[in-house]
C-alpha cells in the first residue's frame, strides 16, 4: 500500500489508519508557514588527537573501468570480498550521462546476480566540507558478501568522465566472521520486530551523566564514568533528569524498538508548540564500529539550530536492497561510512542518523546526536538541518510502524529542542543550487520532510514519503515529563540506591494516563515486568549486586521515554573490622564529664550508612571514622549498631570504663604542696616548684591522659611512660585554665606507670598537677 501526503492551498487533512486507530492531522495553510529563523554556524568539530582504531576494519578495493567512447565495460571477474559497491570517477563536478549497471557474485551461492542499475548520487556536503568536490560517485549499493563483479555503462553523447572505477567496500565482520560483512555461524539472529526495547548507565560515583545519553535497541544521567550494561532496553543515566539521550555501545544483545499496536488517536497539529520528547535510545558509533581514524571532523560544521529534519532512504536499486537482516545493519553502516569518505571524499558518513528496517536507531555523523551537526545529505539544505536515513529502498519496501515511530521521536526531540513542531511548515531558502532549485529559491515544506521536497530525487521512496503524514502525527504523541520521583526501600549515595532485595521506584509523567499504554520495568536489559499507564510506581525485585533498573513509558502511539537508576541489592550485614575503641581527648575534664573519641571501626561489603550508639551516650552517626563526645567517669558499657544503606545492621558491645586517678594516688618524690579550691578536680591539686619533683601513677588500662592547671607562670614538665621519657610539656598559658588534659597516650592494655618530673623552668618553675585519667 502506498501512502501519499498532499498539502494544498488552504487546510488539507490527511487521514491515516494505524493499528485500528484513526489520526486526523490538520495542516496549516501555506500562508501560515513560519519563516525560517536565521541559522548561524558556531564552528567546526575538534579533531580527536588519538582516535581509537575501529573494532572492525573496513577495506576499499577498486577495479578500473576503461571507457570506449560513450560506453564502458568490465567483464565478470573475481575480486576480494566486498558487500557494498559504487562507481566513481575523477571529477566530482561531472557525471556520466547514461545507464550504469553492475552484477555481483554471491559468496554464499557462487551465483551471479541479475544486472542492477545504479542511481546517480543526489546528496552532497556544504560549507567547508564542500570546498573539495572530491570524486564523483553513484549512490552506493549493498549487495551482501560477494567476491566477483561486472559493470557496464551505456552512455549517451561523446564520452564518459575520466578515472572511472568500481569501488568495492568490505565492511569487515565481528570476531569469528568470514569477511565481507558475513557474520560468524554463532552470530545471533536478526532482531525480531516485536515491540520491546532497552538499556543502562553509569557507575554510582556522583550523579551519573553521560552521561551520557537513550535506547540500545536501536529503536541513551551525572558524573559517573562507567556505562550501564548495554543489553536489553536502553535507558537514561541515574539522574532525575531524562533530557539526555541514551546510547548503546554494544550490539551483543538483540534489542528492538516498540511498534504501535494500539492505534493513533485523532490529533490536531499545533504549528507553534514544540514537542518536549526524549531523544530515543540509539546504537552509538562505537557499537557499529565507526572508523574514527578516517573521519575529518575539522571539516564538519556545527550550527546553532535544527529547523527541518529530512527523511532519506539509502539504496536505489530495487526491492532486493531490503533483503538484509537487521543484524547486518552495523556492517551496512560501516560500508556507507567507508564509501562516503574513501570513495566520495566526504568528511564522514553523510547522515546524522540511520534506521534499519526493524526500526532500530544508529548514531550517524560524528559530533553528538543532540548537537546541530551539519550533514552531507541535501544539496543546498544542510546547514541548520538534520538528515535521517532508513536502510533500504522504499520505492519498493513498505514503511513500518517501527520505522515511523523512531523517525517521529527523533524529529520531535530534535525540532522540539529549538522550539519547532514537526507538523508545522516553514519557508526555506536554498543555500546552493541542486537539481530542483537555484541558489536563493524558496520552498515551503513541513519541518519533517522528505529529501525529494528539496531536490529532484526519488529519495526517500514513495512508500516512505507517503508515510510522512503518519510520522508527523506520531510526533505529536510523545511521552513528556517522565522523571524519577523517588526510590524507596533503602538508602542513596553517589548516584545509586541500596536496598535489601526490593525497591519501589516512583516517577512523574506529563501525559494523561489514557495516553500511556504501559510502563515497562527492565532490570539489566531484560524485561522484569510492566504496570498499567495509570501507575506511577513499581516494586522491583533486586538480586544481590549492582543492577541497572529502567522504567520505560510507552505511549499508545508506540513512542517511548525512559529513565534509569543504579540499584544495589544487599542482604549482607555490616561487620566490625576491629573492636570499637574509646580514647581520651585533650581538653577540660571534670568529675561529671570526660572528653573522649569513639572509633566504631565498622565496614560493609558495599556502602556503610552509619552507626547508632545507645550507651553510655546516645548518638546517631553517619559513616564516620570517629566521634568526639563526652562521658561520665566510671561508665563501662558501650553499645553500637552499624547499619548499611540497604538497612542491614550488626551490633557490638564493649566494656570501656573511663577512670580518674587523683594526684593523691600518685607516688610522690620531692616536695609537693597541697592546693584546694573548687576549680581543681575534686577540689584538690598538688603543686611543685623544685626541679626533679616527681609524681608516679600505676594503673591497669589502655589509654592515659595527664591533667594540669595552667597559667602565665606555669613551667615545664617531663613525661615518662613505663620508665622511658616520651616528651616535655610546656604548661604556660596566657589565661588561667584548670583540669586541662594537655597530653594523652594510647597504650596496649596492661599494667603501666606514667610519671611527671618538674623541670624547674627559670622564672616560672611551678607545676600544678590535677591527676591522671585512663581507660580500663
Amino acid at each position: 500500500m502506498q501512502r501519499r501526503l498532499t498539502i494544498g492551498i488552504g487546510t488539507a487533512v490527511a487521514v491515516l489508519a494505524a493499528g485500528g486507530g484513526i489520526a486526523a492531522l490538520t495542516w496549516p495553510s501555506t500562508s501560515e508557514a513560519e519563516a525560517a529563523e536565521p541559522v548561524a554556524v558556531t564552528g567546526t568539530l575538534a579533531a580527536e588527537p588519538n582516535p581509537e582504531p575501529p573494532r572492525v576494519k573496513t577495506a576499499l578495493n577498486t577495479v578500473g573501468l576503461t571507457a570506449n567512447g560513450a560506453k564502458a565495460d568490465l567483464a565478470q571477474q573475481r575480486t576480494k570480498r566486498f558487500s557494498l559497491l559504487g562507481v566513481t570517477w575523477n571529477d566530482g563536478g561531472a557525471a556520466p550521462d547514461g545507464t550504469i549497471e553492475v552484477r555481483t557474485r554471491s559468496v554464499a551461492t557462487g551465483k551471479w546476480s541479475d544486472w542492477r542499475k545504479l542511481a546517480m548520487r543526489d546528496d552532497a556536503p556544504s560549507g567547508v566540507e564542500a570546498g573539495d568536490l572530491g570524486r564523483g560517485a553513484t549512490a552506493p549499493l549493498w549487495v551482501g558478501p560477494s567476491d566477483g563483479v561486472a559493470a557496464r555503462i551505456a552512455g549517451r553523447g561523446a564520452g564518459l568522465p575520466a578515472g572511472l572505477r568500481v569501488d568495492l567496500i568490505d565492511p569487515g565482520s565481528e570476531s569469528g566472521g568470514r569477511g565481507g560483512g558475513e557474520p560468524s555461524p554463532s552470530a545471533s539472529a536478526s532482531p525480531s520486530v516485536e515491540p520491546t526495547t532497552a538499556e543502562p548507565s553509569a557507575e554510582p560515583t556522583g550523579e551519573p551523566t553521560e552521561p551520557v545519553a537513550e535506547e540500545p535497541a536501536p529503536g541513551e544521567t551525572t558524573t559517573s564514568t562507567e556505562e550501564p550494561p548495554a543489553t536489553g532496553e536502553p535507558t537514561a543515566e541515574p539522574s532525575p533528569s531524562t533530557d539526555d539521550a541514551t546510547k548503546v555501545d554494544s550490539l551483543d544483545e538483540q534489542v528492538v524498538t516498540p511498534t504501535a499496536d494500539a492505534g493513533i488517536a485523532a490529533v490536531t497539529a499545533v504549528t507553534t508548540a514544540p514537542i518536549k520528547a526524549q531523544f530515543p535510545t540509539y546504537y552509538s558509533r562505537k557499537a557499529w564500529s565507526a572508523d574514527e581514524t578516517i573521519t575529518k571532523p575539522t571539516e564538519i560544521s556545527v550550527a546553532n539550530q535544527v529547523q527541518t529534519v529530512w527523511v532519506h532512504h539509502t539504496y536505489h536499486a530495487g526491492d532486493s536492497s531490503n533483503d538484509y537482516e537487521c543484524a547486518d545493519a552495523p556492517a551496512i553502516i560501516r560500508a556507507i561510512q567507508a564509501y562516503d569518505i574513501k570513495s566520495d571524499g566526504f568528511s564522514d558518513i553523510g547522515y546524522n542518523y540511520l534506521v534499519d528496517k526493524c526500526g532500530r536507531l544508529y548514531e550517524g555523523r560524528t559530533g553528538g546526536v543532540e548537537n546541530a551537526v551539519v550533514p552531507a545529505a541535501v544539496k543546498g539544505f544542510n546547514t541548520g538541518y538534520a538528515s535521517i536515513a532508513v536502510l533500504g529502498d522504499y520505492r519498493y519496501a513498505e514503511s513500518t510502524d517501527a520505522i515511523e515511530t523512531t523517525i517521529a521521536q527523533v524529529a520531535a526531540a530534535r525540532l522540539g529542542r529549538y522550539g519547532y513542531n514537526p507538523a508545522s511548515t516553514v519557508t526555506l531558502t536554498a543555500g546552493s543550487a541542486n537539481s530542483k532549485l537555484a541558489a536563493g529559491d524558496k520552498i515551503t515544506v513541513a519541518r519533517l520532510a522528505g529529501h525529494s521536497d528539496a531536490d529532484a530525487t526519488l529519495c526517500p521512496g514513495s512508500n516512505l514519503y507517503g508515510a510522512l503524514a503518519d510520522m508527523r502525527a506520531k510526533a505529536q504523541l510523545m511521552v513528556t515529563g517522565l522523571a524519577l520521583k523517588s526510590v524507596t526501600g533503602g538508602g542513596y549515595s553517589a548516584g545509586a540506591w541500596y536496598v535489601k532485595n526490593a525497591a519501589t521506584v516512583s516517577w512523574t509523567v506529563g501525559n494523561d494516563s489514557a495516553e500511556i499504554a504501559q510502563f515497562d520495568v527492565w532490570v539489566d536489559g531484560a524485561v522484569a515486568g510492566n504496570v498499567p499507564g495509570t501507575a506511577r510506581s513499581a516494586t522491583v525485585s533486586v538480586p544481590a549486586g549492582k543492577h541497572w533498573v529502567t522504567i520505560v513509558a510507552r505511549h499508545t502511539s508506540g513512542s517511548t521515554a525512559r529513565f534509569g537508576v543504579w540499584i544495589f541489592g544487599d542482604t549482607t550485614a555490616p561487620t566490625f573490622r576491629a573492636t570499637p575503641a574509646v580514647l581520651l581527648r585533650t581538653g577540660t575534664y571534670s568529675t561529671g564529664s570526660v572528653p573522649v573519641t569513639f572509633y566504631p571501626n565498622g565496614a560493609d561489603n558495599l556502602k556503610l550508612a552509619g552507626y547508632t550508639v545507645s550507651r553510655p551516650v546516645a548518638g546517631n552517626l553517619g559513616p564516620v571514622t570517629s566521634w568526639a563526645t563526652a562521658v561520665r567517669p566510671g561508665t563501662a558499657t558501650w553499645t553500637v549498631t552499624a547499619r548499611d544503606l540497604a538497612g542491614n545492621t550488626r551490633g557490638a558491645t564493649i566494656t570501656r570504663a573511663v577512670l580518674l586517678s587523683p594526684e593523691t594516688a600518685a607516688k610522690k618524690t620531692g616536695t609537693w604542696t597541697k592546693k584546694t579550691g573548687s576549680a581543681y578536680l575534686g577540689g584538690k591539686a598538688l603543686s611543685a616548684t623544685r626541679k626533679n619533683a616527681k609524681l608516679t601513677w600505676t594503673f591497669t588500662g589502655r589509654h592515659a591522659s595527664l591533667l594540669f592547671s595552667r597559667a602565665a607562670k606555669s613551667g615545664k614538665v617531663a613525661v615518662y611512660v613505663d620508665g622511658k621519657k616520651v616528651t616535655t610539656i610546656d604548661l604556660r598559658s596566657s589565661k588561667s585554665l584548670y583540669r586541662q588534659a594537655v597530653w594523652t597516650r594510647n597504650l596496649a592494655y596492661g599494667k603501666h606507670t606514667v610519671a611527671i618530673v618538674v623541670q624547674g623552668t627559670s622564672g616560672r618553675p611551678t607545676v600544678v598537677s590535677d591527676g591522671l585519667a585512663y581507660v580500663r
Side-chain angles (χ1 to χ4, degrees), residues 124-140:
S126 300
V128 176
E129 192 177 359
D132 179 6
L133 292 176
R135 295 179 64 79
T138 66

PDB file of all heavy atoms in Angstrom, residues 124-140:
ATOM      1  N   ALA A 124      25.102  15.657  -1.024  1.00  0.00           N
ATOM      2  CA  ALA A 124      26.397  16.328  -1.091  1.00  0.00           C
ATOM      3  C   ALA A 124      26.604  17.179   0.146  1.00  0.00           C
ATOM      4  O   ALA A 124      25.643  17.586   0.801  1.00  0.00           O
ATOM      5  CB  ALA A 124      26.479  17.210  -2.344  1.00  0.00           C
ATOM      6  N   PRO A 125      27.860  17.458   0.482  1.00  0.00           N
ATOM      7  CA  PRO A 125      28.160  18.285   1.654  1.00  0.00           C
ATOM      8  C   PRO A 125      27.981  19.768   1.382  1.00  0.00           C
ATOM      9  O   PRO A 125      27.745  20.199   0.254  1.00  0.00           O
ATOM     10  CB  PRO A 125      29.622  17.955   1.958  1.00  0.00           C
ATOM     11  CG  PRO A 125      30.191  17.593   0.626  1.00  0.00           C
ATOM     12  CD  PRO A 125      29.083  16.913  -0.124  1.00  0.00           C
ATOM     13  N   SER A 126      28.109  20.557   2.465  1.00  0.00           N
ATOM     14  CA  SER A 126      28.013  22.012   2.375  1.00  0.00           C
ATOM     15  C   SER A 126      29.191  22.630   3.104  1.00  0.00           C
ATOM     16  O   SER A 126      29.958  21.948   3.795  1.00  0.00           O
ATOM     17  CB  SER A 126      26.705  22.510   3.009  1.00  0.00           C
ATOM     18  OG  SER A 126      25.587  21.959   2.368  1.00  0.00           O
ATOM     19  N   GLY A 127      29.322  23.947   3.005  1.00  0.00           N
ATOM     20  CA  GLY A 127      30.297  24.699   3.782  1.00  0.00           C
ATOM     21  C   GLY A 127      31.722  24.291   3.512  1.00  0.00           C
ATOM     22  O   GLY A 127      32.123  24.003   2.380  1.00  0.00           O
ATOM     23  N   VAL A 128      32.519  24.236   4.582  1.00  0.00           N
ATOM     24  CA  VAL A 128      33.936  23.892   4.456  1.00  0.00           C
ATOM     25  C   VAL A 128      34.100  22.539   3.799  1.00  0.00           C
ATOM     26  O   VAL A 128      34.992  22.323   2.980  1.00  0.00           O
ATOM     27  CB  VAL A 128      34.599  23.887   5.855  1.00  0.00           C
ATOM     28  CG1 VAL A 128      36.043  23.433   5.775  1.00  0.00           C
ATOM     29  CG2 VAL A 128      34.499  25.264   6.499  1.00  0.00           C
ATOM     30  N   GLU A 129      33.217  21.619   4.141  1.00  0.00           N
ATOM     31  CA  GLU A 129      33.317  20.261   3.627  1.00  0.00           C
ATOM     32  C   GLU A 129      33.129  20.201   2.114  1.00  0.00           C
ATOM     33  O   GLU A 129      33.641  19.302   1.452  1.00  0.00           O
ATOM     34  CB  GLU A 129      32.272  19.389   4.326  1.00  0.00           C
ATOM     35  CG  GLU A 129      32.441  17.908   4.101  1.00  0.00           C
ATOM     36  CD  GLU A 129      31.427  17.094   4.882  1.00  0.00           C
ATOM     37  OE1 GLU A 129      30.608  17.702   5.610  1.00  0.00           O
ATOM     38  OE2 GLU A 129      31.451  15.860   4.773  1.00  0.00           O
ATOM     39  N   ALA A 130      32.396  21.153   1.559  1.00  0.00           N
ATOM     40  CA  ALA A 130      32.126  21.153   0.120  1.00  0.00           C
ATOM     41  C   ALA A 130      33.231  21.825  -0.682  1.00  0.00           C
ATOM     42  O   ALA A 130      33.167  21.882  -1.908  1.00  0.00           O
ATOM     43  CB  ALA A 130      30.797  21.860  -0.160  1.00  0.00           C
ATOM     44  N   GLY A 131      34.260  22.328   0.006  1.00  0.00           N
ATOM     45  CA  GLY A 131      35.327  23.031  -0.696  1.00  0.00           C
ATOM     46  C   GLY A 131      36.029  22.176  -1.720  1.00  0.00           C
ATOM     47  O   GLY A 131      36.418  22.635  -2.797  1.00  0.00           O
ATOM     48  N   ASP A 132      36.235  20.906  -1.414  1.00  0.00           N
ATOM     49  CA  ASP A 132      36.872  19.980  -2.339  1.00  0.00           C
ATOM     50  C   ASP A 132      35.822  18.984  -2.768  1.00  0.00           C
ATOM     51  O   ASP A 132      35.362  18.163  -1.977  1.00  0.00           O
ATOM     52  CB  ASP A 132      38.044  19.280  -1.655  1.00  0.00           C
ATOM     53  CG  ASP A 132      38.737  18.283  -2.578  1.00  0.00           C
ATOM     54  OD1 ASP A 132      38.376  18.228  -3.761  1.00  0.00           O
ATOM     55  OD2 ASP A 132      39.639  17.568  -2.090  1.00  0.00           O
ATOM     56  N   LEU A 133      35.426  19.029  -4.041  1.00  0.00           N
ATOM     57  CA  LEU A 133      34.353  18.166  -4.514  1.00  0.00           C
ATOM     58  C   LEU A 133      34.754  16.695  -4.481  1.00  0.00           C
ATOM     59  O   LEU A 133      33.908  15.814  -4.426  1.00  0.00           O
ATOM     60  CB  LEU A 133      33.947  18.556  -5.935  1.00  0.00           C
ATOM     61  CG  LEU A 133      33.253  19.918  -6.073  1.00  0.00           C
ATOM     62  CD1 LEU A 133      32.995  20.227  -7.548  1.00  0.00           C
ATOM     63  CD2 LEU A 133      31.944  19.919  -5.307  1.00  0.00           C
ATOM     64  N   GLY A 134      36.045  16.419  -4.504  1.00  0.00           N
ATOM     65  CA  GLY A 134      36.484  15.034  -4.482  1.00  0.00           C
ATOM     66  C   GLY A 134      36.051  14.301  -5.741  1.00  0.00           C
ATOM     67  O   GLY A 134      35.834  14.886  -6.802  1.00  0.00           O
ATOM     68  N   ARG A 135      35.880  12.999  -5.620  1.00  0.00           N
ATOM     69  CA  ARG A 135      35.454  12.210  -6.764  1.00  0.00           C
ATOM     70  C   ARG A 135      33.943  12.278  -6.928  1.00  0.00           C
ATOM     71  O   ARG A 135      33.206  12.516  -5.977  1.00  0.00           O
ATOM     72  CB  ARG A 135      35.873  10.747  -6.583  1.00  0.00           C
ATOM     73  CG  ARG A 135      37.388  10.534  -6.555  1.00  0.00           C
ATOM     74  CD  ARG A 135      37.729   9.072  -6.357  1.00  0.00           C
ATOM     75  NE  ARG A 135      37.271   8.233  -7.466  1.00  0.00           N
ATOM     76  CZ  ARG A 135      37.882   8.114  -8.637  1.00  0.00           C
ATOM     77  NH1 ARG A 135      39.000   8.805  -8.884  1.00  0.00           N
ATOM     78  NH2 ARG A 135      37.401   7.332  -9.591  1.00  0.00           N
ATOM     79  N   GLY A 136      33.493  12.076  -8.145  1.00  0.00           N
ATOM     80  CA  GLY A 136      32.075  11.895  -8.378  1.00  0.00           C
ATOM     81  C   GLY A 136      31.712  10.451  -8.093  1.00  0.00           C
ATOM     82  O   GLY A 136      32.566   9.559  -8.146  1.00  0.00           O
ATOM     83  N   ALA A 137      30.431  10.197  -7.773  1.00  0.00           N
ATOM     84  CA  ALA A 137      30.065   8.839  -7.387  1.00  0.00           C
ATOM     85  C   ALA A 137      28.587   8.582  -7.623  1.00  0.00           C
ATOM     86  O   ALA A 137      27.761   9.497  -7.566  1.00  0.00           O
ATOM     87  CB  ALA A 137      30.390   8.607  -5.911  1.00  0.00           C
ATOM     88  N   THR A 138      28.281   7.322  -7.883  1.00  0.00           N
ATOM     89  CA  THR A 138      26.888   6.887  -7.867  1.00  0.00           C
ATOM     90  C   THR A 138      26.466   6.689  -6.426  1.00  0.00           C
ATOM     91  O   THR A 138      27.280   6.722  -5.505  1.00  0.00           O
ATOM     92  CB  THR A 138      26.723   5.545  -8.607  1.00  0.00           C
ATOM     93  OG1 THR A 138      27.428   4.528  -7.873  1.00  0.00           O
ATOM     94  CG2 THR A 138      27.248   5.617 -10.024  1.00  0.00           C
ATOM     95  N   ALA A 139      25.183   6.471  -6.237  1.00  0.00           N
ATOM     96  CA  ALA A 139      24.738   6.045  -4.919  1.00  0.00           C
ATOM     97  C   ALA A 139      25.301   4.656  -4.652  1.00  0.00           C
ATOM     98  O   ALA A 139      25.450   3.841  -5.572  1.00  0.00           O
ATOM     99  CB  ALA A 139      23.219   6.017  -4.867  1.00  0.00           C
ATOM    100  N   PRO A 140      25.652   4.352  -3.399  1.00  0.00           N
ATOM    101  CA  PRO A 140      26.191   3.021  -3.109  1.00  0.00           C
ATOM    102  C   PRO A 140      25.090   1.962  -3.148  1.00  0.00           C
ATOM    103  O   PRO A 140      23.910   2.257  -2.973  1.00  0.00           O
ATOM    104  CB  PRO A 140      26.748   3.179  -1.699  1.00  0.00           C
ATOM    105  CG  PRO A 140      25.908   4.250  -1.083  1.00  0.00           C
ATOM    106  CD  PRO A 140      25.587   5.199  -2.205  1.00  0.00           C
TER     107      PRO A 140
END
